[in-house]
Amino acid sequence: MSTNLTFPAGFIWGAATSSYQIEGAWKDDGKGESIWDRFTHTPGHVIDNSTGDVACDHYHRWPEDVKLMKSIGLQAYRFSISWPRILPAGRGAINQAGLDFYSRLVDGLLAAGITPFVTLYHWDLPQALQDLGGWPSRGTAEAFTEYADVVSRHLGDRVKHWITHNEPWCVSILSHQLGEHAPGWRDTAAAVRAAHHVLLSHGWAVPVIRANSAGSEVGITLNFEAKLAASGSTADIRKTRIEDGTFNRWFADALYGRHYPADIVDYYSPHFPHGFDFIQPGDFEAISVPTDFLGVNYYTRVIVRDTDAIDNDPQTLFPDLPQTEMPNWEIFPEGLYNLLNRLHFEYRPPRIYITENGASFSDGPDESGRIADARRRAYLESHFTAAHDAIRNGVPLAGFFVWSLMDNFEWAKGYDQRFGIIWVDYNTRQRLLKDSAIWYRDVIAGNGFSPRL
Ligand code: FCB
């Protein structure tokens, strides 16, 4: 197939999922309870009070899922490991059945010619560790390092791409300050402590993984949003800078050796009357351990309005911008282009993978079983194009993982939001390729595509 937007040779095309969102089998074979089990089993946290108890039943259907991946031609698959499947109490006794599950999955992927990219933490903390204080407590960072050791020791001969954490902002701020994700806290100081311990656990785990998995690439995935001031007012601009700082710079600055950004330290300091006493000597050196790549999750732009300011412009938020079905998730591919350039020029990661990008659209099967999700294809096409433009600028982008391989449990939004390139019927658990998956197969086969005008 000839394409007029061709990616560099060796560019990796993949798709991503996470354990809690697809596996189900929430207490099979010795798995311990996670904070997401507890959170979803408590009514009022998820829009439709749904849970991940069964989800896509991937735990039982993974061979079929690997076949589907192969039929699309995926070169890599990013999935996460459920910590409480491996260490039901968070630390200590290993559940061999949990390790065996992932070991079989890895073997199945390799046999299908698909490279596994393993995320160690995509939010399903063992509840037992939550009971001891969770991420706001430093002990959780120690426990994570032990867990990373166990997993990389058992899979490190075959897995050569490791992501320590998925989206530390979500683990800390969204879950501990904004209360939207498990454990559902609303405590800014706890959230900032959680953020520090997540980063610290990353720094401690990287050398452990490297020692167990010779020749592997190790990195971390951050989520970034483009932030734009709603107006030129001083208040909006100030607030935008804070949003960019708490969301984007806080994590990247620490990881790339700049400590925490001074303006955001000031911003958080009223929450710490006794200072940032949770930061200990050596922490920043650990956090800024060199990594092999930066994983980037990008979905949307946020237009920032300081609603408290009296000197502000009228309260318009551009209501007509094109959006996906995730409430307020605008379609803004330029944001990905700008972000990749910014990360490259400001932080110089040796390599970048887009570890998540995709869109929620609910298009389902017609009478013939076809799923015409043209809007998802257009979303992906525009973001692939933005990625290609960034590569032309010299950004060392090495791969792109579409979120998501299949429709799944979208956290507090339940099953209403469908991000998959594969449709999942939640009554029968039947899977069907959407048009976007078929188009993606051709993109992968041609290592590029001809944009539709
Ligand atoms: C990201 C998460 C992923 C999925 C997408 C839509 O923040 O990493 O699990 O929910 O958003």
Side-chain angles (χ1 to χ4, degrees):
M1 187 174 100
S2 82
T3 66
N4 55 21
L5 224 101
T6 304
F7 283 71
F11 192 79
I12 295 175
W13 295 101
T17 63
S18 85
S19 47
Y20 187 73
Q21 294 180 276
I22 64 165
E23 285 179 2
W26 77 282
K27 54 179 180 180
D28 286 36
D29 300 336
K31 176 182 166 292
E33 186 188 17
S34 82
I35 57 173
W36 272 93
D37 295 319
R38 180 70 62 92
F39 194 68
T40 58
H41 292 159
T42 313
H45 289 139
V46 176
I47 268 182
D48 49 5
N49 283 323
S50 58
T51 74
D53 290 2
V54 181
C56 307
D57 197 26
H58 170 78
Y59 187 77
H60 298 111
R61 293 168 192 259
W62 68 266
E64 176 189 353
D65 291 334
V66 172
K67 275 195 200 117
L68 288 168
M69 291 178 217
K70 191 170 179 185
S71 77
I72 300 170
L74 291 187
Q75 296 161 343
Y77 172 52
R78 172 180 177 235
F79 63 96
S80 79
I81 299 219
S82 160
W83 184 344
R85 255 189 225 296
I86 309 295
L87 298 164
R91 302 179 99 145
I94 296 173
N95 176 38
Q96 190 59 41
L99 279 174
D100 290 347
F101 166 69
Y102 293 108
S103 190
R104 284 193 297 272
L105 174 61
V106 165
D107 287 343
L109 289 166
L110 292 172
I114 300 165
T115 304
F117 276 58
V118 168
T119 307
L120 286 169
Y121 189 73
H122 200 129
W123 310 351
D124 38 4
L125 185 73
Q127 180 63 37
L129 293 177
Q130 185 61 42
D131 295 342
L132 295 172
W135 285 110
S137 145
R138 199 171 168 99
T140 301
E142 290 162 10
F144 176 82
T145 313
E146 295 163 11
Y147 157 65
D149 182 31
V150 171
V151 176
S152 57
R153 219 171 335 116
H154 283 82
L155 302 181
D157 55 336
R158 289 156 289 155
V159 171
K160 297 297 175 189
H161 298 82
W162 297 93
I163 295 165
T164 52
H165 282 280
N166 180 67
E167 303 189 346
W169 180 87
C170 290
V171 178
S172 53
I173 307 297
L174 188 65
S175 308
H176 293 83
Q177 180 184 18
L178 304 176
E180 286 179 30
H181 280 185
W185 290 15
R186 291 177 194 276
D187 176 342
T188 302
V192 175
R193 284 202 306 274
H196 185 69
H197 296 139
V198 169
L199 291 172
L200 187 60
S201 73
H202 156 81
W204 285 344
V206 168
V208 172
I209 299 167
R210 287 216 173 102
N212 288 335
S213 180
S216 59
E217 287 184 8
V218 190
I220 186 169
T221 282
L222 302 181
N223 51 324
F224 296 93
E225 276 177 4
K227 307 282 188 187
L228 180 82
S231 78
S233 77
T234 316
D236 282 349
I237 289 173
R238 195 190 308 116
K239 183 142 194 226
T240 306
R241 178 95 191 136
I242 297 289
E243 293 274 305
D244 181 60
T246 55
F247 201 103
N248 299 322
R249 286 182 286 125
W250 185 263
F251 301 94
D253 277 15
L255 288 165
Y256 287 92
R258 300 181 185 182
H259 296 206
Y260 293 133
D263 56 337
I264 307 303
V265 169
D266 285 351
Y267 173 74
Y268 283 139
S269 58
H271 296 279
F272 296 94
H274 309 296
F276 287 61
D277 52 4
F278 56 88
I279 302 177
Q280 296 187 11
D283 283 4
F284 284 117
E285 289 68 27
I287 290 171
S288 60
V289 59
T291 49
D292 301 296
F293 64 87
L294 176 64
V296 170
N297 291 357
Y298 173 83
Y299 289 94
T300 191
R301 161 170 80 171
V302 165
I303 297 173
V304 182
R305 159 73 73 195
D306 186 340
T307 44
D308 299 331
I310 38 171
D311 70 327
N312 234 331
D313 288 346
Q315 308 285 305
T316 34
L317 276 186
F318 314 108
D320 298 329
L321 296 173
Q323 294 200 352
T324 66
E325 289 181 18
M326 272 293 260
N328 304 319
W329 283 28
E330 187 197 341
I331 302 171
F332 190 61
E334 298 91 319
L336 177 60
Y337 172 73
N338 295 337
L339 170 67
L340 290 171
N341 291 323
R342 174 184 179 186
L343 293 173
H344 174 53
F345 292 115
E346 282 193 27
Y347 299 104
R348 295 274 162 190
R351 192 170 307 140
I352 297 177
Y353 293 109
I354 293 169
T355 42
E356 286 181 30
N357 173 256
S360 170
F361 290 113
S362 53
D363 310 286
D366 64 16
E367 315 77 64
S368 69
R370 174 176 173 205
I371 300 159
D373 61 336
R375 294 176 297 173
R376 178 172 292 98
R377 186 198 52 70
Y379 179 99
L380 291 174
E381 180 174 313
S382 63
H383 288 77
F384 290 174
T385 304
H388 191 268
D389 288 347
I391 292 171
R392 267 210 299 249
N393 286 354
V395 174
L397 183 67
F400 200 117
F401 292 77
V402 169
W403 184 272
S404 179
L405 175 69
M406 59 182 130
D407 294 335
N408 58 47
F409 177 75
E410 180 45 38
W411 309 111
K413 302 281 190 304
Y415 292 99
D416 283 349
Q417 301 293 336
R418 290 178 174 270
F419 277 89
I421 55 173
I422 297 176
W423 171 267
V424 176
D425 177 325
Y426 292 117
N427 294 315
T428 61
R429 261 81 199 174
Q430 193 197 356
R431 281 92 158 118
L432 284 175
L433 298 195
K434 301 181 187 179
D435 279 2
S436 57
I438 295 162
W439 171 77
Y440 192 34
R441 183 188 63 198
D442 293 342
V443 172
I444 298 170
N447 195 28
F449 60 97
S450 302
R452 289 190 203 175
L453 296 176

